[in-house]
Amino acid sequence: MAGPDGRAVISCTGVRLDRGERTVLSDLDLTLSERRIGVIGANGSGKSSFARLLNGLLLPSRGNVTVDGLDTRKDAKGVRRKVGFLFQNPDNQIVYPTVGEDLAFGLKGRKLPKAEIAARVEATLQRFSLDGFGDRLVHELSGGERQMVALAGVMILDPDWLVLDEPTTLLDRRNTRRIMAAIEALDQNVILVTHDLRLLESFDRVVVFEAGRVIADAAPAEAIPAYLRLVE
Amino acid sequence: MITGLYRAGNSRLHRAGAGRKLLALILGGTLLLAISSLPLAALGLLIALALYGLAGFGPRVLWTQLRPIVFVLAVLFLAQLWLATPAEAVLVVLRFAALVLAAGLVTLTTRTSDLVAAIERGLSPLSRFGLDVAKVSLAISLAIRFIPAIGQIAGEVREAQLARGRRPSPLTLVVPVIVRLLKMADEITDAIDARS
Ligand SMILES: Nc1ncnc2c1ncn2[C@@H]1O[C@H](COP(=O)(O)OP(=O)(O)OP(=O)(O)O)[C@@H](O)[C@H]1O
Ligand SMILES: [Mg+2]
């Protein structure tokens, strides 16, 4: 669960990220260890790129990103085991036609015995209020149900960190609350990218991006107004 | 034939092993194509229909299987009528309908993961020649999972064009649908990476 110094921590040191011809993130020096961290910023400010750096989906062009001491460049596999990732659109994260099969997907990759997979799938369905959904067809579920399935599919792998890139953007208020309640109940450290500032009021820390740089990094009571001043 | 997807149930067909069902499908299909007797082909179709009953599926499920191919069947029928004899036209339609129904029945009564596992077992001898069987089976499950999504995307693009006063044609549909599919494929790849 924790890094060499006994603490769960993700750090970015001297990170720059180029995508194509453009530099989309620069001068990134962050140490993330709070349990609930929000990431906000205008469209195109680099939030998704930043989130993808944290589990090695993107690698920094300069500098290093480490998760509990593992370098994303050197140990992508180890990093992915530590960092779960939830995307905006559940449709593109669910790879099997039925809910139960999809939950089993990640576990099968880990070569667990069949009986254990079945037991963990059942327990995870219960835990995310999806009892009885095991045989349901994914394409017949509502958007909110699908996002809950996608979350369950990530959490069944028991990561230490969960990074979420606008997981509630496609959901109504009620399903947003449901997903947020499920996220709040997690023991894991959470990093949430969102445009919905209300979701971050109870968070420990909020990082504000603007044009690829961090322009504010503080408690929500301070960081959110700073962001609002910037955009209004 | 893939539009059916798995429907949970507890019939004997549901419980039968995926490998056996696939094998039966391959053998039955070959047989159906090998014979050219009308009564036997009709019998094949009747057997397929009876199996739907055995699996506990009513006319509605049957219709969802046939609806997507009705047009193809009609074209086949007319083409054969024109090119060959009425008897051959009927034969072709019987064969094709029986095949599609039988294949649909296998996907309806078998979980994708079991189907894929059976295919994986069948292919495993080929791993000695460098075939990555796990990749093949992931590709198959993705195909089954995302075929409904392709229809949905095509529908959305069509509606978007209609809403802007254009009559969608296959030509105006192809490019936006492919672009959306590529974008989707990108995101799916990321999600699979993130979960493996
Ligand atoms: N695949 C890509 N190739 C090249 N440039 C990209 C790519 N994806 C994003 N970018 C660019 O990187 C910059 C940051 O994009 P990013 O998606 O990280 O922003 P974001 O803050 O997540 O925006 P949004 O709020 O709209 O999701 C943008 O200028 C964008 O054009
Ligand atoms: Mg984004």
Side-chain angles (χ1 to χ4, degrees):
Chain A
M1 176 103 193
D5 58 352
R7 226 163 37 122
V9 55
I10 295 184
S11 43
C12 305
T13 31
V15 166
R16 195 186 86 199
L17 176 70
D18 301 329
R19 299 186 79 171
E21 304 279 274
R22 315 181 40 198
T23 297
V24 300
L25 290 172
S26 33
D27 300 328
L28 220 54
D29 284 287
L30 287 171
T31 305
L32 307 169
S33 58
E34 290 77 3
R35 283 193 65 235
R36 298 290 181 261
I37 300 174
V39 176
I40 56 180
N43 290 132
S45 56
K47 305 178 299 295
S48 296
S49 304
F50 171 67
R52 281 171 168 72
L53 280 175
L54 304 181
N55 75 339
L57 279 176
L58 289 175
L59 296 174
S61 313
R62 285 276 163 76
N64 297 301
V65 177
T66 61
V67 178
D68 302 347
L70 302 181
D71 190 316
T72 56
R73 202 180 276 122
K74 291 183 194 130
D75 190 358
K77 205 167 171 186
V79 166
R80 298 234 172 98
R81 282 193 174 211
K82 283 186 168 289
V83 185
F85 201 108
L86 192 69
F87 299 79
Q88 180 181 76
N89 187 348
D91 283 343
N92 297 344
Q93 306 176 62
I94 303 179
V95 297
Y96 269 93
T98 66
V99 173
E101 291 174 301
D102 188 74
L103 293 194
F105 166 72
L107 296 177
K108 278 190 184 150
R110 304 209 169 157
K111 308 261 183 284
L112 294 178
K114 252 189 169 166
E116 190 184 336
I117 292 182
R120 275 174 73 169
V121 167
E122 206 40 58
T124 306
L125 287 172
Q126 301 259 338
R127 182 169 159 218
F128 290 93
S129 328
L130 293 166
D131 326 38
F133 275 65
D135 281 327
R136 293 277 298 276
L137 289 172
V138 170
H139 77 270
E140 291 176 4
L141 302 181
S142 77
E145 290 165 344
R146 278 184 227 188
Q147 191 59 294
M148 197 60 99
V149 170
L151 176 63
V154 173
M155 296 316 298
I156 199 172
L157 299 173
D158 201 20
D160 297 334
W161 292 82
L162 179 63
V163 178
L164 310 103
D165 192 356
E166 299 191 40
T168 60
T169 303
L170 302 173
L171 306 183
D172 64 20
R173 278 308 284 167
R174 177 200 276 175
N175 281 293
T176 296
R177 269 202 296 277
R178 270 194 198 143
I179 288 283
M180 285 308 293
I183 290 168
E184 267 149 30
L186 299 175
D187 294 329
Q188 280 83 353
N189 288 16
V190 168
I191 299 175
L192 172 65
V193 176
T194 185
H195 289 291
D196 191 345
L197 305 177
R198 283 171 298 186
L199 305 181
L200 302 178
E201 277 158 13
S202 65
F203 272 44
D204 303 318
R205 175 177 174 186
V206 173
V207 181
V208 184
F209 278 82
E210 171 64 16
R213 286 167 201 276
V214 174
I215 55 126
D217 180 359
E222 193 181 324
I224 294 176
Y227 171 61
L228 290 175
R229 275 197 300 277
L230 185 77
V231 292
E232 275 165 8
Chain B
M1 57 186 147
I2 261 160
T3 51
L5 289 171
Y6 178 66
R7 272 169 209 256
N10 201 21
S11 72
R12 282 179 63 178
L13 274 171
H14 280 90
R15 291 194 307 264
R20 288 167 137 198
K21 282 185 274 191
L22 269 181
L23 207 62
L25 177 65
I26 293 170
L27 290 178
T30 313
L31 205 64
L32 204 60
L33 293 177
I35 52 155
S36 48
S37 130
L38 254 184
L40 282 180
L43 183 67
L45 183 60
L46 278 178
I47 292 175
L49 292 175
L51 289 174
Y52 271 76
L54 188 66
F57 296 135
R60 269 193 46 202
V61 174
L62 212 62
W63 178 235
T64 58
Q65 297 295 303
L66 283 176
R67 193 181 45 205
I69 59 156
V70 167
F71 178 73
V72 180
L73 286 177
V75 171
L76 268 178
F77 183 76
L78 292 175
Q80 288 296 313
L81 210 56
W82 188 51
L83 294 169
T85 63
E88 277 181 62
V90 174
L91 181 67
V92 163
V93 168
L94 287 177
R95 267 180 181 164
F96 196 67
L99 262 180
V100 168
L101 283 178
L105 192 60
V106 173
T107 54
L108 280 169
T109 59
T110 318
R111 276 173 215 281
T112 310
S113 51
D114 293 340
L115 207 58
V116 168
I119 296 171
E120 214 169 305
R121 277 196 305 278
L123 290 178
S124 60
L126 295 179
S127 63
R128 254 177 292 153
F129 304 106
L131 182 76
D132 187 337
V133 177
K135 280 210 179 113
V136 174
S137 64
L138 179 60
I140 295 171
S141 27
L142 282 175
I144 297 176
R145 156 77 178 88
F146 283 100
I147 280 172
I150 296 172
Q152 194 187 340
I153 288 180
E156 283 172 18
V157 171
R158 231 179 72 86
E159 284 178 354
Q161 296 188 350
L162 280 171
R164 292 167 65 188
R166 285 203 57 169
R167 255 171 70 91
S169 74
L171 222 61
T172 59
L173 283 179
V174 162
V175 172
V177 168
I178 287 181
V179 169
R180 289 265 309 261
L181 286 176
L182 288 177
K183 171 113 178 56
M184 186 170 102
D186 238 22
E187 289 181 12
I188 297 165
T189 312
D190 272 356
I192 288 177
D193 276 351
R195 277 172 78 187
S196 54

